[in-house]
Amino acid sequence: MSSPHTPVRAPSGEPSAGEAPRRWWRPELVLALVVLGLGVFVIVGTLGVSAAASQLGLGPRFFPTLVGGAMIVVGVFYVADVLRGGQGDPEESEDVDAGAPADWRSVALVSGIFLAFVTVLNVVGWVIGSALLFFGLSVALGAEHKVRAAVVGVVIGLVTYLLFVRGLGVTLPGGWLRGVL
């Protein structure tokens, strides 16, 4: 049974009279190739990392290799799906207007916040930097409770710092709190 969005094909597999021929180069293929390329990029970048394993026996290559490998697998399956004719379904969410223009103000705010985070991370340290990142993103994306967003940001920054530094032995920038933590 076909949905209203699924074109009906002739028995030969060729497009029927009212259907446009299927192109092999589509936006979905671009995204699939980007995912595949990023996976390869992560794996190649991980090969240059050399450091001792942590107390758990997991070195700094483990998670990037895991993520890069998963991206390669997903990318290969995604490319195969697109080349076989798969395509994304149109958005049918009640909260999304597919015809609405992009909110470039939010895109610029989020991009600026990430760039600021990268810029100040080594100076202020992980805990303060990630707390500011979470707070800034929360406010930029419409958080109503700013004090709650600030508290959650500090908690997330502190917990992730302690998990990585104390739990996994990974070095994160201490910044202004270097002697305190």
Side-chain angles (χ1 to χ4, degrees):
M1 175 178 260
S2 62
S3 73
H5 300 292
T6 305
V8 178
R9 295 208 174 272
S12 66
E14 294 298 319
S16 60
E19 180 187 348
R22 191 173 16 172
R23 298 181 326 223
W24 69 272
W25 185 257
R26 299 190 323 265
E28 291 94 346
L29 184 59
V30 173
L31 180 61
L33 291 172
V34 166
V35 170
L36 183 61
L38 283 174
V40 170
F41 178 76
V42 168
I43 294 291
V44 169
T46 303
L47 295 176
V49 174
S50 62
S54 70
Q55 296 136 352
L56 300 175
L58 302 177
R61 291 190 210 179
F62 179 74
F63 286 109
T65 303
L66 187 69
V67 170
M71 289 178 73
I72 290 173
V73 169
V74 168
V76 166
F77 279 108
Y78 194 14
V79 166
D81 179 58
V82 170
L83 292 177
R84 290 181 53 228
Q87 64 184 35
D89 294 328
E91 186 64 50
E92 295 180 11
S93 172
E94 64 187 53
D95 296 339
V96 176
D97 180 11
D103 182 6
W104 292 110
R105 179 183 175 276
S106 294
V107 171
L109 278 172
V110 168
S111 299
I113 291 167
F114 274 112
L115 287 174
F117 171 71
V118 170
T119 303
V120 302
L121 179 62
N122 285 328
V123 176
V124 299
W126 178 263
V127 175
I128 295 171
S130 62
L132 290 172
L133 173 70
F134 183 85
F135 176 74
L137 291 176
S138 298
V139 171
L141 297 175
E144 295 178 10
H145 304 284
K146 291 174 180 53
V147 173
R148 182 186 309 159
V151 170
V152 169
V154 170
V155 169
I156 287 175
L158 190 58
V159 167
T160 56
Y161 183 84
L162 293 174
L163 281 174
F164 278 86
V165 172
R166 300 276 166 83
L168 295 175
V170 175
T171 304
L172 292 176
W176 295 338
L177 300 176
R178 185 177 320 262
V180 178
L181 299 174

